[in-house]
Amino acid sequence: MTLDKALEYASKYRPYAMDAPDDGRLPLDNNLAERGIKPFVIGRKNFLFSDTPRGAEVSADMYSIVVTAKANGLNPRKYAQWPLEEMPNAADPGDPAYLDSLMPWSESVPAEIRLRLAPRTFLIIKHSMTELHRTMGSH
């Protein structure tokens, strides 16, 4: 990429990048995404052992379920098992509203699948947010 293209790109997307300091919900880095793909990077050689393209797709689907469950504070094994137990009892398993109820961010996910946030973790998050607000307010 040439310097002029890089500068053109930066000036084009600058307004969007400037949203991050104004909205405390937006992260200033991509560490969460990097941690999310780490299992794929570590396990990529394992994908070479998928005998068929369908086997590779199923492996990718399972990785996606595990990472999404972790990101939503769920026990990945219990969450992967729960929809498989629920779907045979569904009146219409293809109903979009029913499928939405099985998503990891749904309120219908049973409490025993949800992980409890450790008090120490909560304090670290609270301290980080307090520090962020203090820093943003001083500018």
Side-chain angles (χ1 to χ4, degrees), residues 8 49 59 65 67 92 94 96 98 110 115 120 125 129 132-133:
E8 181 181 324
F49 296 103
S59 294
I65 289 169
V67 171
D92 181 8
Y98 175 71
L115 298 174
R120 178 170 164 66
I125 293 169
M129 292 303 294
L132 176 67
H133 289 294

Side-chain angles (χ1 to χ4, degrees), residues 18-58:
M18 298 314 295
D19 286 343
D22 294 335
D23 188 345
R25 297 171 298 167
L26 299 175
L28 298 175
D29 56 40
N30 69 343
N31 289 342
L32 185 61
E34 292 286 339
R35 281 193 307 265
I37 65 169
K38 191 172 183 177
F40 296 100
V41 174
I42 292 171
R44 78 176 140 211
K45 287 191 179 183
N46 294 336
F47 294 135
L48 296 174
F49 296 103
S50 293
D51 292 339
T52 63
R54 183 69 185 128
E57 287 176 17
V58 171

